[in-house]
Amino acid sequence: MTALAVIEVLDRDGQVRQSQRVLAWPLRIGRALDNDLTLPDPHVAPHHCLLDMDAQGLVLQALDTANGVQLGRQRVRSGERSPLPDDGRPLELVAGRTRLRLRRAGESLAPELPLEAAATRTRRFGPTLAAGTGLALALGFVTWLDSDPDTFARSLGAAALTAVMGAAIWIALWSLLSKTFTRQTAAGWHLKVFLIGSLAWMVSGTLPGLFAFSLSWPALADFGFVAGHAVAAATLYFHLLAVEPNRARLMRGVAVAAFVVGTGITLWSNHQRSDRLGSDLYLSNLFPPALRLARPVPAEDFVDGLAALQPVLDKKAKEAPSGDGGGSVDEE
């Protein structure tokens, strides 16, 4: 007999876990053994729903169920009937916590995907190799700046070992989380996200100070931590995509919330520490003078600008030092 449709049971990441041909309508779905499709889901009723054909076409009817059936944004409750759209595409519905996909005869199919050949390895692994190489060069450069020539080799080895161990632990934890939720480790994806995110984080920590020095805009360096928080939030989002690939909107919400909370905590901490929202009291980033684009300030104008600091300094001088409880100090 020619199949009228195929009903598929999907797992969390959208892969087909079970498939059954539909040879005649109606199709009964539930937890009891006398159904056409039996679902081992405790949130599914013994006779949960059925798909049947009437004058309007294919319809969904919810049976004696407390949870109903989710059809797109519509929930079909017990005893209700809802016609199923026939737009030539597969139809997804949720019974209990089980995702189902109905494919009807005559629906258009996506074109066949080609097998990934060896020529695509550069496209697949190129970004990972580029990010890893860039991160290694950046780590070596920073170590070279911070160490003496006699201790450079030892310092570089220690920094490399620390970076490799930290990356291995980070990727292993994310891979374990992905394995728990999707039954796939996605270790290659987490490695790529870690390398690109780490490189972007190092760049975000340098560029604000460079532009602030070049353009003489101290606010860029003062609030450069916002760029770092944005990179961290984006990295978190792409990690979470491998854990919950079907909830991209929720994962974006989590990443945005992390960015807002992290930025807010940093602003509050800066204000508590220095009565300022920014992180730097002055422009402390020094780069080669050739990168300086702003016009130099004459010495006379610079000295005149210092006069505005006098009232602030006088006010600070009259304040009690922090940590003494605000009490006055007896003078002899």
Side-chain angles (χ1 to χ4, degrees):
M1 296 179 62
T2 303
L4 301 177
V6 173
I7 186 75
E8 298 171 337
V9 180
L10 307 179
D11 59 14
R12 294 178 64 92
D13 54 353
Q15 301 299 317
V16 179
R17 189 176 64 191
Q18 178 184 350
S19 179
Q20 180 172 325
R21 300 172 69 195
V22 181
L23 302 178
W25 305 109
L27 174 71
R28 296 174 176 83
I29 301 173
R31 195 154 36 93
L33 297 180
D34 58 351
N35 290 286
D36 300 305
L37 178 62
T38 302
L39 301 177
D41 184 345
H43 303 282
V44 170
H47 299 92
H48 198 89
C49 64
L50 64 83
L51 302 175
D52 199 3
M53 186 71 67
D54 62 8
Q56 298 179 350
L58 196 60
V59 296
L60 167 68
Q61 179 177 353
L63 301 177
D64 188 12
T65 167
N67 296 319
V69 183
Q70 190 70 32
L71 178 62
R73 296 184 177 181
Q74 175 189 3
R75 179 169 294 276
V76 182
R77 303 189 180 278
S78 177
E80 296 180 349
R81 293 168 61 90
S82 176
L84 299 181
D86 189 5
D87 53 4
R89 295 182 297 177
L91 180 68
E92 291 195 10
L93 50 94
V94 180
R97 291 187 175 177
T98 303
R99 294 176 57 200
L100 302 172
R101 180 168 60 196
L102 179 68
R103 296 170 50 203
R104 287 161 284 190
E107 291 181 349
S108 59
L109 298 176
E112 177 189 10
L113 296 177
L115 293 173
E116 293 182 326
T120 64
R121 291 180 180 177
T122 302
R123 178 178 59 83
R124 293 173 57 194
F125 303 112
T128 303
L129 293 176
T133 302
L135 188 60
L137 292 176
L139 181 63
F141 180 70
V142 172
T143 306
W144 176 73
L145 288 178
D146 295 339
S147 61
D148 297 328
D150 297 336
T151 62
F152 171 68
R154 185 168 61 252
S155 299
L156 181 61
L161 181 61
T162 301
V164 170
M165 292 297 296
I169 294 174
W170 181 263
I171 295 169
L173 291 176
W174 277 109
S175 299
L176 178 61
L177 196 61
S178 295
K179 182 70 173 179
T180 302
F181 283 88
T182 66
R183 296 185 293 279
Q184 296 179 2
T185 59
W189 173 261
H190 290 302
L191 173 62
K192 180 190 297 186
V193 172
F194 171 81
L195 293 176
I196 296 177
S198 299
L199 184 60
W201 184 79
M202 295 186 68
V203 171
S204 68
T206 303
L207 288 184
L210 174 61
F211 286 128
F213 171 81
S214 178
L215 303 175
S216 192
W217 292 347
L220 292 178
D222 214 15
F223 295 94
F225 60 87
V226 176
H229 289 169
V231 170
T235 303
L236 175 64
Y237 167 69
F238 285 108
H239 275 308
L240 289 173
L241 275 185
V243 179
E244 282 287 0
N246 296 309
R247 298 185 177 182
R249 181 177 299 179
L250 176 61
M251 299 304 102
R252 283 196 296 269
V254 172
V256 170
F259 168 75
V260 173
V261 171
T263 303
I265 291 177
T266 304
L267 292 173
W268 176 82
S269 177
N270 291 341
H271 188 268
Q272 292 293 316
R273 185 180 66 253
S274 59
D275 291 333
R276 302 174 68 254
L277 295 179
S279 58
D280 295 334
L281 295 176
Y282 51 87
L283 187 60
S284 59
N285 298 279
L286 298 178
F287 293 90
L291 300 177
R292 179 88 173 167
L293 299 179
R295 297 176 58 183
V297 178
E300 295 79 6
D301 295 343
F302 177 76
V303 174
D304 293 340
L306 295 178
L309 296 176
Q310 188 64 44
V312 178
L313 295 177
D314 292 341
K315 180 180 178 181
K316 289 290 184 181
K318 297 178 181 179
E319 294 179 356
S322 59
D324 64 354
S328 60
V329 179
D330 295 335
E331 297 181 358
E332 294 182 357

